[in-house]
Amino acid sequence: MSGYIKHLLLLAFTLLCHGITAQNYRWQANIEQPQQAGYYNILLPPQVVGQLQPGKADVRLQNSKGTEVPYLLRVEEPLQYKKLFTSHQIISYTHREGCCSELLIANPEKRKINNMSLLVSNAEVQKEVNLSGSNNQQDWYVLKEKGVLFAINSTQSTSEVRLLNFPWSNYKYLRLQLNDSSCAPLNILQVGSYDTQAEAGKYTQIPVQQVIRTDSSSLKQTYVRLLFEQPVYPDRLELQILEPQLYYRTGLVILGKEKVIERRRKRKRNKVLRAATIPFVLSSNAPDVIDLPRRKVQELTFIIENEDNPPLQINSIKLLQLNHYLAAELNPAQQYSLRFGNEKAKSPNYELQYFQDSIPQHLPVLQVKHIEQVQTQTASDTKTPNLYVWIAIIIVASALIFMSMRLLNDMSKKKSL
């Protein structure tokens, strides 16, 4: 095959790939400039998240060269539990040969604890222990009797963790007595306790374009309709009630509205998308917060049942979205932008997914700015990929005709000889 034919086929292949893989993102935005090289969390505002598919597959991060930058999508949880380790001061650690060891620990802030963690040198042995507490180191009270330290062995380190659970206490001093009658004492390196803390997720407020309120005396109901400039994914509705001072009302949140999708085929029925409904209770004894299922909507309505009571005076209405981040490694020498909003796009497959535990959760946060819609394609623009395919077909056909004619000419020359 001649070099000319090879170049023609290569051009055809390039045009064909471009026609098949062309993806059109309807929106774009710039990213705040990073100050130094490293990993950052890029906070996606509601204006960006609302344009994405439910699975958030259609967002791409690019640098100033147009190169796609891998990222991890992170979404806050409404409530997160974290285990924090607090180290305790060892006042003394004494041994009685052939009897026992005694470890005296200080808890000066009188923190409530229900576990003790000992970091010890690796040892294949079980110890029976007694634990007591005191506020003056004179009067001691039993917390755990004849307990056993549970070992968490380490195959790669020279130390291991021994755990002891006991009832909640806040004594200023703790005394751990270990039975050494059958073996040598443990080499204790550090003492502490684990504390599980609940941390609320972070939210971003969703801008509301219009609020329409109607109080119906005949139905004894209050209707509040929230309209948004573009689609959003609300996760929480927060109300601030001014009056009355004491109230208890039931109600219903309606996410979106009923929508009929027409089928093109005659034998198939039209599909009806029902609006999601969430019951709630507003009470003066609890925060007026309503958690919502994640659903893409452009309007939200909530109905309050007033019964024979006067309508509630609502001071403020806030709609919130759980924070969405793109965690990515950025360089200050580059400028970064987002491309998003494509119903046909598939989720990217980045190798970063295998290193989620290696990237810290708490990273510097960068903001998204200058969100704008990409120029809408005309009807002729949407046919461009098909045009590439036809050009590729014509090039391939021309190459085949050329090769066939050349083959026939060669055969004719051989017959004449």
Side-chain angles (χ1 to χ4, degrees):
M1 188 184 294
S2 67
Y4 177 72
I5 297 297
K6 287 182 179 179
H7 283 93
L8 274 179
L9 292 177
L10 180 61
L11 176 61
F13 180 76
T14 303
L15 289 171
L16 186 62
C17 290
H18 183 80
I20 294 173
T21 60
Q23 290 186 339
N24 299 309
Y25 291 92
R26 296 179 290 107
W27 295 82
Q28 63 184 14
N30 295 329
I31 307 298
E32 184 183 351
Q33 190 72 14
Q35 297 302 312
Q36 58 185 12
Y39 280 94
Y40 289 84
N41 276 336
I42 301 170
L43 176 61
L44 302 181
Q47 294 88 338
V48 171
V49 177
Q51 298 297 336
L52 302 181
Q53 302 172 15
K56 316 300 183 293
D58 50 333
V59 58
R60 299 294 183 270
L61 177 63
Q62 295 180 343
N63 61 20
S64 51
K65 297 178 181 178
T67 304
E68 191 170 324
V69 179
Y71 65 81
L72 284 176
L73 176 64
R74 291 173 168 174
V75 183
E76 294 268 0
E77 295 292 336
L79 200 61
Q80 304 176 48
Y81 293 93
K82 296 182 179 180
K83 280 197 170 185
L84 304 176
F85 180 79
T86 302
S87 180
H88 297 302
Q89 177 190 356
I90 298 177
I91 299 175
S92 63
Y93 184 31
T94 57
H95 313 285
R96 295 181 188 175
E97 189 173 351
C99 174
C100 55
S101 299
E102 185 174 288
L103 181 68
L104 191 60
I105 305 159
N107 181 24
E109 298 177 358
K110 300 189 70 173
R111 293 176 59 254
K112 287 182 62 177
I113 57 175
N114 68 343
N115 67 88
M116 184 179 296
S117 173
L118 306 180
L119 182 66
V120 303
S121 296
N122 282 339
E124 192 174 349
V125 63
Q126 279 194 343
K127 292 281 187 179
E128 185 180 278
V129 299
N130 294 320
L131 180 68
S132 54
S134 172
N135 287 320
N136 55 15
Q137 297 191 53
Q138 300 294 327
D139 303 313
W140 294 95
Y141 304 95
V142 175
L143 287 173
K144 185 90 171 183
E145 189 174 19
K146 294 184 179 180
V148 177
L149 291 173
F150 294 96
I152 302 178
N153 294 311
S154 174
T155 57
Q156 298 180 350
S157 175
T158 59
S159 60
E160 64 180 4
V161 176
R162 297 289 182 101
L163 299 177
L164 178 68
N165 295 317
F166 51 87
W168 284 102
S169 69
N170 64 343
Y171 287 112
K172 194 173 181 179
Y173 303 99
L174 295 171
R175 183 178 64 186
L176 184 67
Q177 295 173 315
L178 302 92
N179 189 345
D180 296 334
S181 59
S182 59
C183 57
L186 290 175
N187 182 13
I188 298 176
L189 307 174
Q190 188 180 14
V191 180
S193 60
Y194 284 95
D195 186 18
T196 302
Q197 291 188 352
E199 181 179 328
K202 297 180 178 63
Y203 291 82
T204 299
Q205 187 170 348
I206 298 173
V208 179
Q209 185 182 32
Q210 188 178 6
V211 179
I212 304 171
R213 172 172 175 162
T214 304
D215 293 311
S216 173
S217 56
S218 58
L219 297 176
K220 301 180 180 180
Q221 293 176 328
T222 295
Y223 295 84
V224 180
R225 187 182 179 200
L226 309 180
L227 303 179
F228 312 105
E229 187 175 357
Q230 62 180 40
V232 295
Y233 287 92
D235 291 299
R236 174 170 288 186
L237 176 64
E238 289 186 358
L239 306 178
Q240 185 180 4
I241 310 298
L242 280 183
E243 291 183 359
Q245 187 175 359
L246 300 175
Y247 57 89
Y248 184 92
R249 311 284 172 95
T250 60
L252 195 69
V253 174
I254 303 173
L255 281 171
K257 59 181 180 180
E258 189 173 284
K259 185 178 180 181
V260 178
I261 300 178
E262 295 183 358
R263 304 279 192 178
R264 292 187 178 181
R265 297 182 182 178
K266 294 181 179 179
R267 293 184 178 180
K268 288 192 174 183
R269 295 182 179 179
N270 292 338
K271 184 179 180 181
V272 179
L273 293 180
R274 303 289 182 185
T277 56
I278 303 95
F280 66 84
V281 173
L282 299 177
S283 172
S284 53
N285 293 327
D288 296 316
V289 174
I290 305 164
D291 289 318
L292 307 171
R294 194 166 294 163
R295 182 164 178 165
K296 190 174 186 175
V297 298
Q298 201 156 349
E299 68 174 67
L300 179 150
T301 303
F302 62 92
I303 305 169
I304 302 173
E305 301 290 345
N306 295 319
E307 301 295 342
D308 296 321
N309 305 294
L312 297 174
Q313 290 191 26
I314 304 175
N315 183 44
S316 70
I317 301 172
K318 289 183 181 180
L319 207 63
L320 305 174
Q321 170 195 283
L322 282 165
N323 284 355
H324 291 61
Y325 305 99
L326 301 185
E329 186 177 14
L330 307 179
N331 193 310
Q334 295 281 342
Q335 292 183 338
Y336 297 90
S337 60
L338 292 179
R339 300 289 184 271
F340 58 96
N342 183 345
E343 294 178 355
K344 297 182 179 179
K346 295 183 179 180
S347 297
N349 188 11
Y350 300 131
E351 60 190 1
L352 274 184
Q353 63 183 309
Y354 302 107
F355 302 96
Q356 297 193 44
D357 295 338
S358 302
I359 302 174
Q361 290 290 329
H362 298 285
L363 296 170
V365 177
L366 297 180
Q367 303 294 328
V368 173
K369 56 184 182 180
H370 303 142
I371 302 170
E372 58 182 2
Q373 191 169 9
V374 179
Q375 186 175 1
T376 306
Q377 291 183 324
T378 62
S380 60
D381 293 332
T382 58
K383 296 178 181 178
T384 301
N386 292 333
L387 179 62
Y388 287 129
V389 174
W390 280 110
I391 293 174
I393 292 173
I394 292 170
I395 291 174
V396 172
S398 301
L400 290 174
I401 292 170
F402 179 82
M403 292 171 63
S404 299
M405 292 179 64
R406 185 173 178 179
L407 182 61
L408 289 172
N409 288 334
D410 291 341
M411 291 174 65
S412 298
K413 289 179 181 179
K414 287 181 180 180
K415 286 181 179 180
S416 61
L417 293 174

